[in-house]
Amino acid sequence: MIIEVKSLQEPGVEVFGTLTEAQLRNRLNAEMGIFIAESPKVIRVALHAGYEPLSLLCENKHIDGDAADIIKRCGDISVYTGSRALLAELTGYTLTRGVLCAMRRKPSPALADILKDARRVCVIDAVCDTTNIGAIFRSAAALGIDAVLLTRSSCDPLNRRAIRVSMGTIFLVPWTWLDNYDQLHDLGFKTAAMALSDDSIPLDDPILKQQERLAVIMGTEGDGLPKETIGHADYVVRIPMSHEVDSLNVAAAAAVAFWELR
């Protein structure tokens, strides 16, 4: 059903404007929350991955253009449309490719289930920057990482910006939350903490590739990984660098590690 948005108070459009990411995530309950996918390409990836569309917001020109196949595929849901200026005022930003889709979250899978056949996984520890989260997922998908795990102190991967930066790859790589590192050891994984320390080994050390199951732990750029996490890891790993550079952006470091340890 096509609904022309005439004002910012149009019933049903609050999911695209006035509700915060936290409110979307916790609506009803954590497992039945909502997220926003942005741009036709990303929305198509989410639909293909089985996410349920709830409503669409798009510029007038995309009804019969970039969003036409999406609207047809989504069936009988509300499609809110209006001018580019009005929709930007509603959402607080200019829409990328002019289309947003509110979608139902899925329950978080059990850790043991997504790690059943995994050999190389990434753990994101307390990374809160949405751009970095999206970039890490994109590298994980491209470079053969079997799953991504996040500590509870990390940013929600289904944040709108994280999804957009990932180009929808957040829907392609299995992921869930990690409550403690003992869970990984119990499932037969060795852990490699990416950090600078006196006892670190270089990323190309042969012992790392010899591990049947390895979890690469990435931390924040400023504070790095907590001392407890580093001390509990089986290996502390550094990326050899030149010109007295001591570290890389966490997303860049993750891509290098994924490529080397694939």
Side-chain angles (χ1 to χ4, degrees), residues 115 118-123 145-149 184 189 214-216:
L115 296 186
R119 295 186 64 251
R120 294 290 182 267
V121 304
C122 172
V123 180
I145 294 298
D146 299 312
V148 175
L149 313 176
L184 286 173
F189 278 85
L214 186 67
V216 182

Side-chain angles (χ1 to χ4, degrees), residues 96 146 186 254:
T96 300
D146 299 312
D186 292 344

Side-chain angles (χ1 to χ4, degrees), residues 212-260:
E212 182 65 24
R213 312 188 89 186
L214 186 67
V216 182
I217 307 172
M218 309 300 305
T220 62
E221 293 173 54
D223 298 329
L225 290 170
K227 290 183 178 179
E228 181 181 357
T229 300
I230 296 173
H232 198 243
D234 296 292
Y235 306 102
V236 182
V237 182
R238 69 181 185 278
I239 298 173
M241 299 188 196
S242 303
H243 299 293
E244 299 183 0
V245 176
D246 62 354
S247 65
L248 294 173
N249 165 275
V250 63
V256 172
F258 298 164
W259 171 257
E260 178 63 29

Side-chain angles (χ1 to χ4, degrees), residues 13-231:
V13 300
E14 62 276 1
V15 296
F16 301 105
T18 58
L19 295 184
T20 65
E21 290 280 356
Q23 289 171 324
L24 290 173
R25 184 167 62 250
N26 295 318
R27 203 176 196 186
L28 300 181
N29 60 62
E31 301 298 348
M32 293 296 290
I34 296 169
F35 68 91
I36 304 298
E38 182 180 1
S39 88
K41 180 177 181 179
V42 169
I43 294 168
R44 291 184 190 106
V45 175
L47 290 172
H48 187 69
Y51 284 87
E52 176 191 357
L54 300 175
S55 59
L56 281 163
L57 179 73
C58 64
E59 294 177 34
N60 300 120
K61 66 180 181 180
H62 294 304
I63 295 293
D64 297 313
D66 287 351
D69 65 303
I70 295 172
I71 293 170
K72 182 178 181 180
R73 184 173 178 178
C74 287
D76 188 23
I77 66 172
S78 296
V79 179
Y80 300 98
T81 185
S83 68
R84 186 178 182 86
L86 179 61
L87 299 191
E89 188 177 355
L90 170 68
T91 60
Y93 53 87
T94 300
L95 277 61
T96 300
R97 299 297 299 277
V99 188
L100 297 178
C101 185
M103 310 190 89
R104 180 77 67 197
R105 286 172 176 263
K106 294 181 181 181
S108 297
L111 184 67
D113 290 341
I114 70 169
L115 296 186
K116 181 180 179 182
D117 298 314
R119 295 186 64 251
R120 294 290 182 267
V121 304
C122 172
V123 180
I124 300 176
D125 190 313
V127 176
C128 297
D129 185 282
T130 54
T131 299
N132 284 332
I133 293 287
I136 291 172
F137 265 89
R138 189 171 182 180
S139 293
L143 300 175
I145 294 298
D146 299 312
V148 175
L149 313 176
L150 303 99
T151 63
R152 300 285 179 173
S153 54
S154 295
C155 170
D156 175 27
L158 294 183
N159 173 283
R160 178 188 62 85
R161 182 169 176 78
I163 293 171
R164 182 166 65 83
V165 172
S166 82
M167 293 299 292
T169 54
I170 281 172
F171 307 124
L172 303 179
V173 181
W175 67 270
T176 195
W177 302 99
L178 179 71
D179 291 313
N180 66 76
Y181 286 97
D182 288 334
Q183 293 175 287
L184 286 173
H185 289 125
D186 292 344
L187 291 170
F189 278 85
K190 295 290 187 181
T191 54
M194 301 296 296
L196 299 174
S197 68
D198 294 336
D199 61 346
S200 63
I201 62 175
L203 181 61
D204 56 357
D205 191 306
I207 195 171
L208 295 173
K209 284 193 175 181
Q210 291 169 9
Q211 302 308 313
E212 182 65 24
R213 312 188 89 186
L214 186 67
V216 182
I217 307 172
M218 309 300 305
T220 62
E221 293 173 54
D223 298 329
L225 290 170
K227 290 183 178 179
E228 181 181 357
T229 300
I230 296 173

